[in-house]
Amino acid sequence: METTQPQKIELKSFLNAHKVSRYQYFIFFLCFLILLLDGYDTVVVGFIAPALLHGWSLNHTELATMFGMGLAGLTLGSFLSGPIADRLGRKGVIVGSVALFGVVSLASAWSPTIGALTFMRFLTGLGLGGAMPNAYTLAAEFCPDRLRSTLVAPIGCALGGGGAIGGLFASKLIGAYGWPSMLIVGGVLPLLLLPVLMFGLPESVRYRVVSGKGRDKLAETMRKIAPGEDFSDKEFVISEAAPLNSPVRGLFARNLFGGTVCLWIAAFCCLLVVYFLGSWLPVLINGTGIALSRASLMTAMYLTGNTLGAIVLGYYMDRVNPQYVLAFAFLLASIAMFSFGYLMADPLLSLIALFITGVGSGGTMTGTNILAAGYYPTPNRATGVSWTLAMGRVGSVVGSIVGGAMLAAHWGIAPIFAAIAVPIFVAGLSMLALSRYRRMVARRSGADAVEGAAAVA
């Protein structure tokens, strides 16, 4: 008796052909909440640092060690989580990461010494480093290609939103309940979200198709995305390479190696600048004698550029060559940053320069993560995104150290900002190089296809 073969549906084409469903928006919202809490728990130590400094009679070296160990945990978490997510799935890594940073943040509130808190911040960083890149990856894998940047960019803004919420909480909680209250909030909120993620967040449909794991659950998810479709006797396929023996090795495959290098350079340079400004901008502005109220406004303008820049760049990345969009933003930011050292005395021009700098640093980092999510194939997408972000974390450590070194060497304001404009300029060049590399790979792939067809003929 002849058996009927199931009809094959190419998943990527199916998602591209359908409008975005309410269920997909629900997934994006959950990813937004993950990054919101990630952003809060990443910056919370900055808000409690003054209270720790005085309450425990600490010196700045002990605080710097605590900050550094948190960044080390973030970096290691990014390096480890991507390959695990490509092997075992995105959802499990996200849920585990949120559980880790929630539990450890809560426990940190009862740290008896700065040494114990420093170790706790390292463990918290492991969870934070695993949650963010995989939330980006999962969201991107539920997007149609035409809207990936537009839909994922607002999710990236949640990181800054989490930091802003931390500032609001700090103004109310620390004075009334002490610094542990901030860590308790940072632990309780992720743990409250955890059941929602466990039962409401699906596994990536692209991962399920490529890995072959959970095919029955795949159909259930697809029915929620397209409830009017009949998926009986249907089989989803995806036109990508088979799963890799090593997701890390796949980053350096013949048609990906050059792009990997360009993305790593951009992320390294970008987060070097972001963390330099995040660590030292208020200090540098205040050191020139500018009033605290105006210094706060200038810092807020930079952070506004980060948030709005991500949304605007995401919109244009779906409509123009995304590498060109990011390159333009990087190069414009390098000019603005170079100019800022000479414009600080001008109330209007200095604000404009900082806003443009925010667009071309924090905004472009979100764009770089989105670009990585679209650049790598499903079998090693989580690794590609997380390792790109991990290289950025390395840059963040360098940025914090470089800022302190320049201040210790008594550099002037103008030379400092001229020097920090260089890495963001290099990031722009790396985006132009990535665009050229992708065109070269496309031409080479086309030539290989023609040769293969000729050989068959």
Side-chain angles (χ1 to χ4, degrees), residues 70-96:
L71 286 174
L74 279 163
T75 304
L76 184 60
S78 294
F79 275 124
L80 294 176
S81 66
I84 295 173
D86 279 326
R87 294 279 191 185
L88 304 179
R90 289 51 162 137
K91 179 180 176 177
V93 173
I94 291 173
V95 170

Side-chain angles (χ1 to χ4, degrees), residues 45-46 48-54 56 58-70 114 117-118:
V45 288
I48 68 174
L52 291 173
L53 196 65
H54 298 293
W56 281 352
L58 303 178
N59 57 51
H60 289 90
T61 301
E62 289 172 307
L63 277 183
T65 301
M66 182 182 67
F67 294 150
M69 287 300 289
I114 185 60
L117 183 57
T118 297

Side-chain angles (χ1 to χ4, degrees), residues 137-151:
T137 300
L138 182 69
E141 291 184 330
F142 275 97
C143 289
D145 291 344
R146 69 185 183 280
L147 294 174
R148 181 186 295 115
S149 300
T150 302
L151 293 172

